Amino acid sequence: MTASAFERKIDNYISLHSLVSPGEKVAVGLSGGADSVTLLLVLKKLGCSVTAVHVNHCLRGEESDGDEAFVRRLCGAQNIPLRVYSYDVRRMASETGTGIEEAGRLARHRAYLDATSRGGAAAVALAHHADDQAETFLFHAARGSSLKGLAGISPDQKIEVDAGDGSRRPVRLIRPLLCVTRSEIESYLKEIGQPFRTDSTNLSLDGARNRLRNDVMPYLKQHINAAAAAHFAQAAEDIARADSCLRAEAASKAEGLVQKSEGQWSVDDGIVKLPEILEDYILMEILAEACGSAKDLGRTQIRQLRELFRKKSGSRLDLPCGVTACRDYGCITLIPAADRNSMSAHAAAPCGVRKTDGKDAEASGASPQTDAEASGASPQTDAVRITGEGTYQWNGWRFSCRYTDRDALDPEKIKPEKYTKFLDYDKIKNSLVVRKRLRGDRITVRADGASKKLSDYFIDEKIPARERDDIPVLASGADVFWVVGLRISEDCRVTAGTERVLRISAEKL
């Protein structure tokens, strides 16, 4: 391939992926190696407005300094603006508790952010080529990656970079050389007579990447197919397109199957009717969102979630990052760690029961509250007795009670309302309390007096087991008169013979 044909190939790739717009300034990540030198010179030859960014990682002593000197000479000879950044990467790794490679990536990203924010570049061009793409493909395949991982390196990518002030800012990365191989790059530099630097660490067999580069890929090219690198790179590009298509289809299907409310995700059972690959995409997307990232997530967690759909209601699954999946009626609910902790704290916290109209409130089995107790300064009991008209609080709920005569009550106002009920007060023989469910609770469900266990009622109504203790009940002894937000007992329904009516409203605080 001639130099001009090589340049046209890259120009066509740039146009195909819309990597550079007319007039845009591009900062080239320039290490001094063959790949980055080629990228710089080709972009300039194609008429792009280029600057250069060089990062000295201070890891290879004189060799690192030699790279910097070479880059300075090259940019000076080509009349290309250059920004040089120097970072003590070894110290950064120690301070951040990360590896050298990760600290080096952080250093480069900081330099790229500066080149775009202060240097005015619209994007940073990096010199990854088809062999890098092939290595990434093989590396991810060997580690059991998903289609997203097999898609490899994107030609156009946006990353979020820590700005050092607590914020994160976007940086656009472009890779115009993914269409050419390393051998094509070296042939180009040889034809135009351009020298370059060689990083000695790239020749080492230490590390999986270097073994793929120096051992596996040469073997494949020599014994399987000389164009192996290009073919792997093309496969990665095909997979990227397939992945994009599947993601779009999964997002469309998820609209009717996934609901998010109060920081939790509910996934309808209908998801199991989808093709398994779309099911996997949807589950991975919401699990990654619940965890905050896709790190530590893989096929194992998705398989466990799929299996949870076949288990009975009340089953639970502990997932990475403290996320809990709960099998409910007709769905699975994902609860992030923060929500689960707050739920646990809520269940363990004092109920804060008090009457707020200035009158005494008698706690079930306890003495009347003092001012300190009413303010929440000391623990309360788990029930509050309704002693008359007024306002009461229990476990994050407010209850307002008012009496009225049946004759003064407009029958039209007795309508089905979720959180306001009218009860026949004369049929309630003992004192009322607001509390959580207890073993042995029953509710009358038919006018002929037929009743059922409250636990059975919850099952029939498909109330998730984890929510049942948080539902207030209005009860007298074991007789439940109102399951708040659901139904009242037939024993206390207002009839033509009712004389005194208790109007009670519930409000979640």
Side-chain angles (χ1 to χ4, degrees), residues 7-28 39 42-43 46 48-50 121-129 133 153-158 171-180 237:
E7 293 161 358
R8 284 197 303 273
K9 187 176 183 179
I10 295 170
D11 192 22
N12 290 337
Y13 189 79
I14 290 172
S15 298
L16 177 65
H17 293 280
S18 302
L19 299 183
V20 181
S21 299
E24 278 187 338
K25 181 187 292 186
V26 177
V28 176
L39 178 60
V42 170
L43 289 182
L46 294 176
C48 297
S49 175
V50 295
V124 176
L126 302 180
H128 297 97
H129 48 72
Q133 185 74 289
I153 308 169
S154 172
D156 193 344
Q157 177 188 16
K158 283 188 178 179
V171 173
R172 181 177 175 229
L173 305 178
I174 61 173
R175 299 177 174 93
L177 299 188
L178 287 177
C179 59
V180 295
E237 191 167 332

Side-chain angles (χ1 to χ4, degrees), residues 6 55 61 186 203 218 231 323 341 481:
F6 179 84
V55 179
E186 292 179 350
L203 302 177
H231 292 165
V323 174
N341 291 340
F481 292 110

Side-chain angles (χ1 to χ4, degrees), residues 97 116 130 151 183 228 303 313 366 454 464:
T116 54
S183 62
R303 175 182 53 77
S313 178
L454 184 60

